[in-house]
Structures are given as structure tokens and as C-alpha cells.
Amino acid sequence: MDYDRIFKAAIERLHDEGRYRVFIDILRTKGNYPNARCFAGHNGPKPITVWCSNDYLAMGQHPAVVAAMEDALHDVGAGSGGTRNIGGNTHYHVDLELELADLHGKQGALLFTSGYVSNEAALSTLGKLLPGCVIFSDELNHASMIAGIRSSGCEKRVFRHNDLEHLEQLLRDEDPEAPKLIAFESVYSMDGDIAPIGAICDLADRYGALTYLDEVHAVGMYGARGGGISERDGLADRVTIIEGTLGKAFGVMGGYIAADTDIIDCIRSYAPGFIFTTSLSPVLVAGALASVRHLKASGVERAAQQAGAALLKVKFRDAGLPVMDSVTHIVPLQVGCPIEAKRISDILLAEYGLYVQPINYPTVPRGTERLRFTPGPNHSEAMMDELTGALVEIWDRLALNQAA
């Protein structure tokens, strides 16, 4: 067996399709974000502006977050010492879980090492604990949710994106006595649209289903205290399980679920992805704790980010660029070809010092490749004008269509 040939052919396929992923070599500049330094292909670091980070509110740079992490490092050291079963519950973990439960109005919360792990571990375990469970999954759910559902071994029903009629049809066709779980997201991060949470909860009530809501692109961003779309719309109490991340709007790292005490205890007790994984460093947890507490009390960052996203959409539309419809903080620009998306990204970085990563299959369907911009509270209008002008020049240079 020629193993080398197989591996090389797999990589060559990605190159041929124009979707081989190149990871940029950068360092963010503390206290001066979205400015960063790029090390790839340069004689020394080159200053760049970052336009695609999921650190939506720049909380990874916030003085209170940085100070909390520094204090924790000097107080308890770098690592957690192992799994929480072996190394114990670092008190920062206990405090953060209490804060997250309170954020979502739930009895309890459970920390994981990432949002991916929290989805995979929670969904797979829930399915295994519910005999004969059928999981209903939105077709645009994140890969981590799909992986968790697959690992659960449950029957899966995929409903068309945000299509309530299709979801109800699928629910109606199932055995009324079978356990059911509806898994969906609040903000879909590639299109920037929002799920009809209330209507899905209505269907769940009607057909006896649990609900699992991924709020990773909404926590910190929406609601009076940053509890997400479910808080903004007054629906958190109707959702069985809310999943979130600490690595996006909260600016640090980690994932979590929030639910009633029995569900939390079941996931804690049965999920291999929790039981056998070294727990988050207390340094990271301390930073996340400071960030959650800050965003519960402050709406300044959210307001500035929303204003920036709205302004960038207007500038793109006025310039004739193919900005996709979005009702959230996500600003996607349609390209429709992986090769062209990468060319635009490469030119922006090499010639203009502007960084945005192309989004290709399998993150989005083939033919819908795009550039995904996430303006933050520190992106100025002058930066937006620079970006818009660069994109118009590149679109003209490459003779790309400007109609969305």
C-alpha cells in the first residue's frame, strides 16, 4: 500500500478545487486590536488590520480580562492539574459555572474545553441517555452538532433551514411516544440570520420534544446582559439546554452548556468528552469569568459593534459590492468561487495589509463561497473606507460581478 501517494492525492484534490486552507501567521497587538503583525512571506513582521476575528467585542484585549488572567497565573500557576475528577474543581471553574447559569436563567452550567467539545459531548450523551430518541437537526447546524448527533447513535431527521413547516411535518411523522430533541442555532454565523426560537419552542411543546440551542455566535452579543438571542427575545426559560462559547464575544477560550441540575449532572457524569479531558487552565477561566461579568454589566461594546456592522453593510452596498443579507453582526460578501475568494483574500493581505479569510466548502455549500467580515467596536470608519475602497479596486481588477 502506497500510503504517501494516498495522502498526497488528498491534499492535491484540495489544491485542485481551490479550497486548500492556508493559516495566516500573525500576532495580535495587545491594546491596539484590530491591528496585528503578519509574519508570513515578509522580511520581518508586517502591520495588518484584522477583519474576520470571532473576538467580536475585542474582549480578548480588555484590560480587566488581561489583568484577571495575570492575577490567576501568579496566584495558582498555569495549568489545572488534569481532569476535574482528578485535579479537582479549581474555584475559578465553580465561579464561572455559577455566572453562566445565572446568565441564562438556568439551574446549572458545565464548562468544556471548547464550543466544539461541548456540542459533541452534550448531544452525543443526551442521545445515548434517551432510549429510542430521534434528533431533529437544522440543515445548517455546525459541524460539532452534526458530530455529536452522529456519535449519539440516534435516528436523525434533518429539516430545511429555519423551515417550521418542514420541522413540524417531521415531528408529526414520528411516534408520539418516542423521545425527541430539536437541535438548532440562534445566529447562523455564515449567513448572519436568526432562528425562530419561539416558534420552534412552540413545536417542541406541541410534540413533546426537548430543545438544544447553540448560542455560540450570540452570547455576549445580544440581550441586556449578553445572554444571547434567547435572552433578547425573552425565551431562555423555554429552551431546555443552551450551549455557548467563551472563545468568541467573551474573547478567551472554552465552551459550556446551561440547563437544569439533573441534565447538567447527567452530562457531567456520562460524557467522555468531559470526564476524560484535562480541564481548562484556571488562567483562561479567570479571564472568561472577568469577561462574562463585564459584559453582563456593560452594553457599550455591544452597541459599538452593532453600529459598526450596520455601517459596513451600508458602505458595501453603496459601493456596489455583493453584500449578503444579514440581520446580525455578520457581514458576508458573496464571491461564489473558492479560487476567486482566495485570490481576493491574498491581494487584500499582500497589497493592502487587510486580513479576511475566505470561507469555502465544507463550511459553506459549494457555489456560495464568501468573505466573512466581523467589524468590532474598534474598527473605525476610516478603516471601513479603506477596506471598501480596496475591495472595489480588486473587484474591478478581477472583473467580478458586483450584484449579490
Side-chain angles (χ1 to χ4, degrees), residues 65-133:
V65 174
V66 175
M69 296 179 76
E70 289 175 339
D71 289 346
L73 178 64
H74 293 293
D75 183 28
V76 300
S80 66
T83 66
R84 289 169 72 175
N85 177 54
I86 291 173
N89 268 348
T90 301
H91 192 64
Y92 290 113
H93 292 73
V94 176
D95 281 348
L96 180 53
E97 286 174 344
L98 290 172
E99 288 285 352
L100 292 168
D102 173 76
L103 177 65
H104 296 293
K106 300 299 183 186
Q107 294 176 350
L110 189 66
L111 284 172
F112 295 84
T113 51
S114 73
Y116 189 104
V117 174
S118 57
N119 270 335
E120 197 281 332
L123 284 166
S124 63
T125 303
L126 286 166
K128 290 170 183 174
L129 290 174
L130 296 168
C133 181

Side-chain angles (χ1 to χ4, degrees), residues 380-392:
S380 67
E381 185 170 359
M383 289 176 174
M384 295 183 194
D385 289 336
E386 178 190 21
L387 173 64
T388 303
L391 285 166
V392 168

Side-chain angles (χ1 to χ4, degrees), residues 111-176:
L111 284 172
F112 295 84
T113 51
S114 73
Y116 189 104
V117 174
S118 57
N119 270 335
E120 197 281 332
L123 284 166
S124 63
T125 303
L126 286 166
K128 290 170 183 174
L129 290 174
L130 296 168
C133 181
V134 180
I135 299 181
F136 300 81
S137 175
D138 188 289
E139 67 177 341
L140 294 189
N141 276 345
H142 190 265
S144 58
M145 301 175 76
I146 296 169
I149 294 167
R150 184 180 296 118
S151 296
S152 74
C154 291
E155 290 289 324
K156 178 178 70 173
R157 306 287 182 262
V158 178
F159 60 93
R160 291 186 292 271
H161 178 54
N162 282 349
D163 189 329
L164 295 170
E165 290 185 5
H166 190 213
L167 173 58
E168 182 164 22
Q169 175 189 329
L170 294 173
L171 287 163
R172 190 188 303 119
D173 290 344
E174 288 302 326
D175 178 357

